[in-house]
Every structure is written in C-alpha cells, then in structure tokens.
Amino acid sequence: EAQVTQNPRYLITVTGKKLTVTCSQNMNHEYMSWYRQDPGLGLRQIYYSMNVEVTDKGDVPEGYKVSRKEKRNFPLILESPSPNQTSLYFCASSLGSRNEKLFFGSGTQLSVL
Amino acid sequence: EDKVVQSPLSLVVHEGDTVTLNCSYEVTNFRSLLWYKQEKKAPTFLFMLTSSGIEKKSGRLSSILDKKELFSILNITATQTGDSAIYLCAVEVTYSGGGADGLTFGKGTHLIIQP
C-alpha cells in the first residue's frame, strides 16, 4: 500500500532534549516536505527536499534540521526542542516538485514541556 | 507575502444542507489552487484547479476557480455526517530561478454536519 509513514504518532518530551521524527515513503517520490499545523495558523512548511541530498528551508525553519540521505526517508530533527515547537507535524511527499498530489503522513503530535 | 484566506472559519449545518466554502488568495506567480479534506489527522487531496471557470466535480463535491477575482469555492451538496472535516485550501506558486514550487495553505474551514 502506498503510504507515508511517520513515527512516533505522539511524543511528549522536555525542553532541550534532542529528538527525531522519522518519515518514510514507499512511492519512490522525489519531493518530500515537513509541515507544522497550529490552531489558527493553518499548515506551515518547515523544510522541503526535492531529491536526495537536496534540502531547502520553508516558511518556519528555525529550530529544525532535516536530512535526505536516501530517497525514501526524510527525518525531522529538533536539536534543542522548546515549548513553542509544541505542534502537530505532518510529513508529505509527491512524485515531482509539483504539489498537487501531496500524500500526507498521519501526523505526529509533539508536546514540549 | 503570499496570502490565502478561507471563510468561514467554522460552519455548522444540518445533514442534507448544501454548503459553500470560500478561498481567496493574493500571491505572485500563481500556478494552481488545491483543496484538501482533513478528517482525523492527515489531509487528503480533493481537487486541483488551474483554469478559471472550469468546474471540477467528484460526487457531491465540486469546485471552481476565478483567476480574475482571485478566489475559489468548494461546494458540497446533500451533506452527510461523513463530510464533517476541516477543508484546507492551498495555493501553489512558482518561484523564479527554479527550485520547488511553494504551497501556501489557508487556515481551513471547520465544517460540522449535524444529523
């Protein structure tokens, strides 16, 4: 089954403790992206990647890192999480750089205490 | 700065009613407008619109784009409780100098269908 898989689904952590949210897609998609969704703010793009070893900042990249060493994986790294990074995170992928058929993962609800 | 505004933010109707959701935008280098439905968690793709005046239809859902007035509407007829969701509008823009196209989301319309 074609899908985008994020882990974990829920995560509660404390300020400053490094964490990684994994994202994997099995559709051989070139384009992958991370979004955060906050009440009243909608979906905002954090980082995106057009292909292996090609990443770029989205609208709200501060406090996040990503890597794209393999086509299928696009982990999101928070080196020193802070409470303002408490949010619902989505990973998404699409075949090319066009966004029309973005496939979203199920989301990761992160709480930073 | 690219802007996508959806209205209303929240809407409660009775089953069987018809609803119209609005999405207006102000962007440079418009490429397409997309509608997504977000139920429990992940948004799922509904429509992509690139040309004015051409209606896209899928069952009871339909959508149309007006590139002159910079807006789109999403219509749902004979609503059912399963239509309850957040409906997201997003506008795709093309950045000059190559690179991936940008996608700016609106804040969404929370639609609740009461039985």
Side-chain angles (χ1 to χ4, degrees):
Chain A
E1 182 190 349
Q3 59 185 357
V4 178
T5 304
Q6 288 179 237
N7 277 299
R9 293 289 301 274
Y10 301 92
L11 178 60
I12 301 174
T13 188
V14 295
T15 299
K17 189 174 170 69
K18 180 180 177 179
L19 66 92
T20 300
V21 185
T22 63
C23 175
S24 179
Q25 49 91 6
N26 63 358
M27 296 168 279
N28 202 34
H29 284 171
E30 290 182 350
Y31 181 87
M32 297 185 76
S33 181
W34 276 102
Y35 294 87
R36 61 179 287 175
Q37 188 174 33
D38 303 288
L41 294 175
L43 276 165
R44 294 179 293 167
Q45 190 177 47
I46 303 170
Y47 269 94
Y48 63 90
S49 169
M50 292 179 67
N51 214 324
V52 175
E53 301 292 2
V54 181
T55 63
D56 212 340
K57 295 177 181 178
D59 299 318
V60 287
E62 295 78 21
Y64 304 95
K65 282 173 58 178
V66 292
S67 70
R68 188 90 182 275
K69 295 184 179 140
E70 309 162 280
K71 201 170 189 179
R72 62 182 291 127
N73 295 323
F74 190 44
L76 179 70
I77 302 154
L78 284 73
E79 294 271 2
S80 183
S82 61
N84 65 11
Q85 292 179 299
T86 293
S87 185
L88 178 58
Y89 291 87
F90 287 103
C91 179
S93 72
S94 66
L95 188 58
S97 63
R98 296 294 301 274
N99 291 283
E100 73 270 17
K101 289 279 187 168
L102 267 178
F103 288 82
F104 284 85
S106 298
T108 295
Q109 180 63 60
L110 171 66
S111 295
V112 183
L113 304 178
Chain B
E1 184 185 334
D2 296 333
K3 196 190 308 186
V4 178
V5 179
Q6 291 185 245
S7 63
L9 288 178
S10 183
L11 183 60
V12 181
V13 300
H14 287 109
E15 209 167 14
D17 288 350
T18 293
V19 298
T20 298
L21 310 183
N22 303 292
C23 176
S24 64
Y25 60 91
E26 291 178 31
V27 302
T28 51
N29 300 319
F30 173 90
R31 188 166 189 173
S32 66
L33 185 143
L34 303 102
W35 285 97
Y36 289 86
K37 178 182 182 183
Q38 185 175 19
E39 293 179 86
K40 291 174 186 174
K41 278 293 178 73
T44 53
F45 174 81
L46 291 175
F47 298 113
M48 183 183 76
L49 303 152
T50 55
S51 302
S52 277
I54 298 175
E55 185 183 53
K56 292 276 181 103
K57 201 168 169 60
S58 176
R60 295 176 293 101
L61 277 67
S62 64
S63 183
I64 198 160
L65 173 68
D66 186 328
K67 287 168 78 172
K68 184 179 176 187
E69 299 297 329
L70 308 183
F71 77 90
S72 172
I73 60 171
L74 175 68
N75 269 324
I76 308 174
T77 59
T79 52
Q80 302 170 358
T81 54
D83 295 326
S84 296
I86 296 172
Y87 290 84
L88 297 166
C89 172
V91 173
E92 186 181 26
V93 300
T94 302
Y95 293 132
S96 58
D101 302 327
L103 193 66
T104 300
F105 282 86
K107 295 178 182 177
T109 293
H110 190 184
L111 176 63
I112 298 171
I113 311 297
Q114 290 182 334

